[in-house]
Amino acid sequence: MVIPFIESINVWLIWILPFAGAAIIPAIAKGSKNARNYIAVGFALASAASAATMIPVGLAGHEVHSQIPWISALDLKAGVLADPLAIIMTNIVAWISFLIMVYSLGYMHGDRDLTRYWFFMLFFIGSMQLIVLSDNLLMVFFGWEGVGFASYALIGFWYHDKKKDYVGKEGHRAGGIAMWTSPTHAGMKAFLMTRAGDVMMLAGMFLIFMHAGTFGFKELIADQAWAETMAAQNLLVPAAVLLFGGAVGKSAQFPLNEWLLEAMTGPTPVSALIHAATMVKAGVFLVARIGPLFFALSALDTGQFFEIVAWTGAITAFLLATQALVSPEIKKVLAYSTGSQIGYMMMGLGIAGISLNYVDGYTAGFFHLMSHAMFKASLFMGAGALLHTVHSRFMTDMGGLKKHMPKTYIFMLLAALSLAGAPLFTSGFWSKDAIFAAVLESGYSQAMPLFIMAVVVAVMTAFYTFRMIGMAFFGGKSKHLEKMETEGHRVHEVSAVMWVPFGILAVGTIIVGVAGFMFEEQLHHMFEEYLGESFGIHQAASTTERGFLNLNPIAAAASFGAFGIGAAFGYVFYIARKADPQAIGRNIITRGIWTFLYNRWYLNTALYWGGVIGPMAIYRFIWRYFESTIIDGISPALQQSMTYMSRWVKGSQTGITQTYLFVFGVGIMIVVMLLLL
């Protein structure tokens, strides 16, 4: 009994320790700034160590479920659930967060607001771990709002709104809307857009609670009478879609994707933490958590929910990949890429629910989450190293940095190859190929359009990845760099405290890639046991012949081809410089396409005109021409008459049913007499 008790304590500590660190950091800062910095990192390490103790439990296919009394009036308990899904996710969050905290020691050195920075970083980590480990939707929602609050504060961290902290090109407008954004504006935009999804999530939660009387995941699967009742009332799929609305907001999926593209105003470690490894993955994790529940209820016709998830992911993947093709800002390229790759994850989890084999799509979607967390966090930190040295967010201000920053170049190249899906030795290849195979083998009637979209996105991903590497590290020095050198600023490699964390992740993604097919097989086996024991979901016998290294031949050919085509064009234009991309842009048609993509499909413009400017114009019109002119400008006599009438109406509200019936009857008689006349 001692070991299970210790395991339970460790699960609670994973999310409590970061909160405790956040609480004491301000007090420590008053005594010693250096102690504050290292203690903040120490709390992140302690949380990661607690998460690591759960790995043997997950590998054994076991779980730790611990509850304590909470809201007795509603018979609700607070609890943690460390099953294989949560154990993998909590370790991803914990260890990548720890590496980012170490990286922050170098990147944020000398910032005057470090106490606030460490507080919100730890608060964010604790909130994210609460999402992962909660055993019920209500506690998930507390963590959900916690990461939303912390992301708002960290995106707008440099709230003085200096020009150097903006994103977007100054002066760039689309449809009259400014496309360059200050930190405070970006933080508020992220807060409001993710809240739109949160309202939907809250509605879905309480709709389920109204019928089930519980928020607990295990309780919801144990007694499915609530689902039958909701299905009979045509409420089950709407409730699932409402929950997915929260995931759409947090994971920046279409149509709530615009906040992510401007959230790059925060410090680069924030971008790595929130927009690569953790917060934007919260939506994917939520779908992975509730997906098996709704698939287990497939007899109640929940397939529409999974179709919505799959197509939302596919549309987002395509939409954001096209925009990454033309962006000149390195962090925004990575932001577009993040939303696009999350679209792949949603596609995998969605196709699982409408597949002949749920486990295949489920494993593929979650494997890509794991893979992406490593290589994208590494790329963001590498991009931060470039910004730290070059003092510019624009790739046009870089160039030729390979020989000046060799470590950053090597590690960014390794991570970039994984993002591009370089065959056989990168984790990105195996996880992306698994999604391709899951779509092809699903038996879904619309699988081919989804597959084609996925392959096209893979081509674009390889192209914009090589474009980014080529513009930053190859070619001659930019005018900006030459100017820096004439002013006495030497371009140099960043310190070890910065390059070691993203180097570890870059090498990690290659290690996973080398053993990719075995890693995927082990993950598949783990999830097969977990889904079978917890939800009664069992793997059906495969009808598809697999080839070399257990690869689906068509999916593998598509993966090889997509990487080859995209990488070849990226190499020719931006690394070998055999062709000038500017020349292509001079064509009126291609220039129009470039402008359309550069202006983000004008979705940001539509958002502001339709969601902000338009409603404000209507409100202003009502105030000016109705309230001010008609109400305030009405004659005193009529105002007095309206006052008397309002008093009479107020007096008639007696609360007596007979009075209302009498008035109603008189009204009916008057209407009848008017009709007869």
Side-chain angles (χ1 to χ4, degrees):
M1 293 297 293
V2 175
I3 293 177
F5 175 75
I6 294 174
E7 290 174 344
S8 297
I9 293 296
N10 281 340
V11 177
W12 286 95
L13 286 176
I14 293 169
W15 67 269
I16 290 175
L17 281 170
F19 280 129
I24 67 172
I25 281 295
I28 294 171
K30 292 185 179 297
S32 170
K33 303 298 184 185
N34 283 333
R36 170 202 61 189
N37 299 343
Y38 291 109
I39 287 174
V41 176
F43 270 99
L45 176 59
S47 176
S50 295
T53 63
M54 293 294 105
I55 293 176
V57 177
L59 291 175
H62 300 153
E63 66 178 36
V64 177
H65 187 206
S66 173
Q67 292 182 316
I68 58 174
W70 189 19
I71 307 175
S72 56
L74 297 176
D75 193 28
L76 295 180
K77 296 180 180 179
V80 289
L81 175 61
D83 55 11
L85 174 69
I87 289 170
I88 295 171
M89 188 68 183
T90 194
N91 275 280
I92 292 171
V93 172
W95 287 104
I96 292 181
S97 297
F98 165 66
L99 290 174
I100 292 170
M101 293 286 275
V102 173
Y103 174 87
S104 297
L105 290 171
Y107 191 90
M108 298 299 292
H109 179 72
D111 195 287
R112 66 179 185 178
D113 292 322
L114 268 175
T115 300
R116 178 163 54 90
Y117 175 82
W118 293 124
F119 171 85
F120 279 113
M121 289 289 276
L122 286 170
F123 186 88
F124 178 91
I125 295 169
S127 298
M128 186 65 201
Q129 295 288 26
L130 180 59
I131 291 173
V132 173
L133 295 167
S134 294
D135 76 337
N136 64 84
L137 280 167
L138 189 58
M139 284 181 65
V140 166
F141 193 75
F142 275 94
W144 202 265
E145 294 307 296
V147 296
F149 170 60
S151 68
Y152 157 72
L154 289 167
I155 292 169
F157 181 76
W158 286 316
Y159 60 87
H160 294 284
D161 287 350
K162 296 178 180 178
K163 293 293 184 183
K164 67 181 181 66
D165 299 323
Y166 279 48
V167 295
K169 187 176 180 181
E170 187 174 356
H172 174 214
R173 290 181 176 273
I177 302 300
M179 300 291 277
W180 72 96
T181 309
S182 69
T184 53
H185 184 95
M188 186 59 70
K189 184 174 182 177
F191 186 82
L192 292 175
M193 289 195 74
T194 53
R195 291 296 80 71
D198 295 355
V199 170
M200 289 189 281
M201 179 180 173
L202 197 60
M205 285 170 46
F206 281 105
L207 195 58
I208 291 174
F209 180 77
M210 185 172 68
H211 290 84
T214 181
F215 292 107
F217 298 122
K218 296 184 79 67
E219 290 83 355
L220 288 171
I221 193 63
D223 183 2
Q224 300 178 13
W226 62 274
E228 295 172 2
T229 303
M230 292 184 72
Q233 299 172 358
N234 294 319
L235 290 175
L236 185 59
V237 171
V241 172
L242 284 169
L243 286 176
F244 179 59
V248 167
K250 275 289 186 288
S251 290
Q253 298 295 280
F254 179 79
L256 298 178
N257 57 280
E258 288 299 314
W259 70 265
L260 179 65
L261 314 177
E262 294 175 353
M264 299 300 106
T265 54
T268 299
V270 171
S271 301
L273 180 68
I274 294 178
H275 310 123
T278 54
M279 176 176 146
V280 290
K281 301 298 196 311
V284 181
F285 179 80
L286 178 65
V287 175
R289 175 60 84 192
I290 66 173
L293 169 65
F294 285 102
F295 184 77
L297 303 171
S298 57
L300 302 175
D301 195 22
T302 56
Q304 288 178 317
F305 163 65
F306 291 102
E307 284 191 86
I308 291 171
V309 173
W311 279 103
T312 299
I315 291 168
T316 307
F318 181 82
L319 176 73
L320 296 185
T322 61
Q323 297 174 43
L325 296 173
V326 299
S327 179
E329 297 174 72
I330 190 165
K331 283 176 66 177
K332 286 190 77 171
V333 170
L334 295 174
Y336 289 123
S337 175
T338 295
S340 179
Q341 297 301 303
I342 288 173
Y344 268 136
M345 299 168 208
M346 291 296 189
M347 190 191 303
L349 295 176
I351 203 69
I354 44 180
S355 173
L356 299 174
N357 283 313
Y358 182 82
V359 182
D360 289 350
Y362 190 85
T363 302
F366 199 79
F367 184 19
H368 198 53
L369 182 153
M370 299 168 61
S371 173
H372 180 266
M374 289 193 296
F375 65 68
K376 189 55 68 66
S378 179
L379 283 170
F380 263 114
M381 287 191 277
L386 295 177
L387 268 64
H388 198 73
T389 299
V390 177
H391 305 296
S392 174
R393 60 186 181 272
F394 294 99
M395 293 184 290
T396 49
D397 288 335
M398 301 177 189
L401 293 173
K402 182 174 67 169
K403 58 185 176 183
H404 299 286
M405 303 178 71
K407 296 184 182 70
T408 299
Y409 164 67
I410 290 296
F411 293 133
M412 282 195 74
L413 179 62
L414 293 177
L417 287 171
S418 198
L419 169 60
L424 300 180
F425 71 94
T426 63
S427 65
F429 166 79
W430 294 102
S431 58
K432 204 175 294 183
D433 182 80
I435 293 173
F436 290 0
V439 172
L440 279 176
E441 298 171 7
S442 65
Y444 175 49
S445 60
Q446 299 297 315
M448 192 50 64
L450 278 176
F451 177 73
I452 292 171
M453 288 182 71
V455 174
V456 170
V457 170
V459 173
M460 291 190 287
T461 302
F463 175 78
Y464 69 64
T465 301
F466 275 76
R467 172 179 177 265
M468 175 185 68
I469 294 296
M471 291 182 72
F473 293 103
F474 289 84
K477 291 181 180 178
S478 65
K479 292 181 180 179
H480 173 78
L481 290 177
E482 290 176 351
K483 182 181 177 182
M484 282 182 61
E485 289 187 347
T486 58
E487 294 174 351
H489 299 289
R490 187 175 61 87
V491 179
H492 58 86
E493 185 62 86
V494 293
S495 62
V497 75
M498 289 179 64
W499 66 256
V500 168
F502 65 80
I504 290 172
L505 291 173
V507 172
T509 196
I510 300 301
I511 292 173
V512 173
V514 170
F517 74 98
M518 292 184 290
F519 191 89
E520 181 191 352
E521 187 177 325
Q522 178 63 34
L523 193 65
H524 189 284
H525 177 69
M526 183 186 301
F527 281 138
E528 186 178 355
E529 288 191 353
Y530 160 65
L531 294 170
E533 292 179 6
S534 300
F535 299 93
I537 300 171
H538 298 286
Q539 179 82 349
S542 178
T543 58
T544 304
E545 287 288 333
R546 292 291 186 102
F548 175 66
L549 297 178
N550 201 34
L551 290 168
N552 178 297
I554 299 175
S559 297
F560 276 79
F563 173 79
I565 294 169
F569 277 105
Y571 178 83
V572 168
F573 283 111
Y574 294 100
I575 295 180
R577 311 285 173 116
K578 298 291 186 182
D580 182 12
Q582 299 286 339
I584 297 175
R586 296 188 189 106
N587 182 290
I588 188 170
I589 297 175
T590 54
R591 182 67 184 176
I593 295 172
W594 184 91
T595 302
F596 180 72
L597 299 180
Y598 184 62
N599 289 330
R600 291 159 39 183
W601 290 45
Y602 294 93
L603 293 174
N604 192 58
T605 303
L607 171 69
Y608 277 90
W609 279 107
V612 181
I613 298 173
M616 288 298 293
I618 294 171
Y619 299 151
R620 192 175 294 112
F621 177 86
I622 292 172
W623 175 82
R624 181 175 180 181
Y625 293 105
F626 182 76
E627 184 175 348
S628 297
T629 304
I630 298 176
I631 300 300
D632 293 343
I634 205 165
S635 69
L638 189 54
Q639 280 189 14
Q640 190 174 15
S641 299
M642 292 179 68
T643 301
Y644 285 138
M645 186 179 294
S646 66
R647 287 176 181 172
W648 180 83
V649 171
K650 182 179 179 181
S652 68
Q653 307 302 307
T654 62
I656 301 173
T657 306
Q658 290 86 340
T659 302
Y660 297 146
L661 290 173
F662 174 75
V663 174
F664 182 71
V666 170
I668 293 293
M669 290 176 62
I670 292 173
V671 171
V672 170
M673 290 174 63
L674 290 172
L675 290 173
L676 291 175
L677 292 175

